[in-house]
Amino acid sequence: MDQAITGLHHITAIAGNARRNYDFYTRVLGLRFVKKTVNFDDPHTYHFYYGNATGEPGTILTFFPWEDIALGRRGTHMATEIGYSVPEGSIDFWLKRLEAENIIYNKPSAKFGEIYLTFLDPDGLKVELTVPEKTDNRVPWETPAITEANATRGFHHVTLTLEDIQPTADLLVSMFGYQLQKHHTNRYRFGTPANEYGGYIDLVEAKGEPRGHVAGGSVHHIAFRMKDDATQIHYRQLLAERGLHVTEQLDRKYFRSVYFREPGGVLFELATDAPGFTVDESSAELGTHLMLPDEFEAKRAEIEAHLVKLD
Ligand code: ZN
């Protein structure tokens, strides 16, 4: 277990309007705005990071907001649901809150014995709040409206919808240290003993269903946690030996990443824990400044002029 994958690091999705996305995730859902930066490949657009109180891996949802992006379509070959854990007894609070905010939601139901509530974010991204079997003790971010009794704790699971789950399941089990833990109809839940709080990967087999289209309101990729560079090098090597095309290591400022497309068609990333979000802002000030990588600092005024104001 020395080089175990310790669960999810972050999930990255695509949004439309930046201000609407910011309002929804910080105010309506009550996540901490952990980092405001730009898309390193397109510095005139934002890259937002939302997480728990400490911005720890396994709680980080990131968005590329692109104002005029067309909506995507849920289907196979993609990640289709993002699940957060919430405390026992909080579902009624969330129901009332979603209702008051005119959010589209389904009435609560149960999956693998756990109660959950599904809703759509303003771009149509499917999000779930689940009360886990085991209490999730990760430190929540609190807002005046959403206190510890109700606040999200971090990722509970992510769902991948696949034409055929087998190749992806093989990768998770034979290489990533995951095990099939639960199975109901066409949903297969994989977990790793290296992660205390879920971080489950649910594979849903939808043979013959239309292929999804990744655009606005869809997940772009999911990233797994690498405790250090040596672990990342180890997995990069294993993936290459398996014949998967894996990128070189890229510096994402807050972590170092390699990317590959898993055999079911979903873009996967392996991201290091280090250096983390306090590399350029103190933990008290996370998310309060526009942070730019060094190569864009000289163009700060011009970049800021292009970005939508958030408040
Ligand atoms: Zn990523």
Side-chain angles (χ1 to χ4, degrees):
M1 296 314 283
D2 189 36
Q3 292 185 312
I5 287 181
T6 43
L8 291 165
H9 183 285
H10 65 270
I11 297 174
T12 292
I14 303 170
N17 183 268
R19 196 185 290 130
R20 186 178 64 186
N21 177 266
Y22 170 77
D23 176 71
F24 184 80
Y25 285 95
T26 58
R27 187 183 61 79
V28 179
L29 264 199
L31 302 182
R32 184 172 193 188
F33 195 39
V34 167
K35 194 65 67 183
K36 175 164 70 169
T37 182
V38 294
N39 182 336
F40 293 179
D41 301 316
D42 181 10
H44 289 148
T45 63
Y46 282 119
H47 190 184
F48 294 157
Y49 291 77
Y50 306 103
N52 74 341
T54 55
E56 79 183 291
T59 74
I60 301 294
L61 178 60
T62 100
F63 283 92
F64 293 122
W66 279 306
E67 210 61 32
D68 299 318
I69 186 114
L71 282 183
R73 189 182 60 243
R74 265 189 295 282
T76 62
H77 299 77
M78 71 196 294
T80 49
E81 291 163 357
I82 295 168
Y84 282 95
S85 61
V86 291
E88 185 157 12
S90 66
I91 292 290
D92 278 351
F93 166 87
W94 286 108
L95 269 174
K96 288 192 192 106
R97 188 162 182 82
L98 297 180
E99 181 71 37
E101 295 286 341
N102 291 312
I103 309 295
I104 299 168
Y105 64 91
N106 288 339
K107 65 178 202 300
S109 185
K111 197 154 52 188
F112 300 129
E114 297 172 329
I115 295 173
Y116 71 97
L117 174 61
T118 305
F119 57 92
L120 300 179
D121 89 350
D123 291 292
L125 182 67
K126 205 170 170 189
V127 182
E128 281 185 7
L129 303 179
T130 301
V131 177
E133 223 166 28
K134 182 186 171 211
T135 305
D136 188 331
N137 291 319
R138 286 176 288 183
V139 186
W141 179 244
E142 296 187 86
T143 69
I146 306 172
T147 58
E148 191 180 3
N150 300 306
T152 62
R153 296 302 199 260
F155 294 134
H156 172 271
H157 72 278
V158 64
T159 299
L160 313 185
T161 300
L162 304 169
E163 170 76 22
D164 172 8
I165 68 151
Q166 208 51 57
T168 306
D170 286 346
L171 178 79
L172 291 176
V173 171
S174 70
M175 194 180 296
F176 283 17
Y178 281 73
Q179 298 156 0
L180 177 63
Q181 296 190 340
K182 285 167 181 166
H183 165 219
H184 182 67
T185 63
N186 63 339
R187 180 179 291 266
Y188 300 78
R189 173 159 292 176
F190 292 82
T192 168
N195 186 313
E196 203 181 346
Y197 300 120
Y200 300 115
I201 311 293
D202 279 8
L203 303 184
V204 167
E205 190 160 80
K207 250 187 192 52
E209 292 290 313
R211 199 184 174 108
H213 174 59
V214 173
S218 39
V219 173
H220 186 264
H221 64 267
I222 70 171
F224 291 87
R225 269 183 95 161
M226 300 283 111
K227 83 173 193 290
D228 51 29
D229 291 84
T231 306
Q232 189 183 57
I233 290 165
H234 168 74
Y235 281 102
R236 191 183 176 281
Q237 180 66 25
L238 290 179
L239 289 163
E241 282 166 11
R242 212 177 164 105
L244 291 164
H245 175 77
V246 49
T247 66
E248 293 302 316
Q249 188 189 64
L250 295 165
D251 182 5
R252 294 315 194 187
K253 185 148 187 166
Y254 308 108
F255 38 86
R256 291 176 287 278
S257 300
V258 303
Y259 301 84
F260 67 101
R261 202 164 287 280
E262 58 84 28
V266 182
L267 187 61
F268 277 12
E269 174 183 348
L270 307 178
T272 57
D273 279 6
F277 296 104
T278 51
V279 71
D280 58 359
E281 277 178 307
S282 70
S283 53
E285 294 194 327
L286 286 178
T288 59
H289 310 97
L290 175 69
M291 304 312 300
L292 297 176
D294 295 343
E295 64 267 35
F296 296 140
E297 271 302 343
K299 290 194 271 181
R300 177 176 278 273
E302 187 241 348
I303 287 171
E304 283 184 344
H306 274 85
L307 296 169
V308 197
K309 296 281 168 287
L310 296 182
D311 36 31

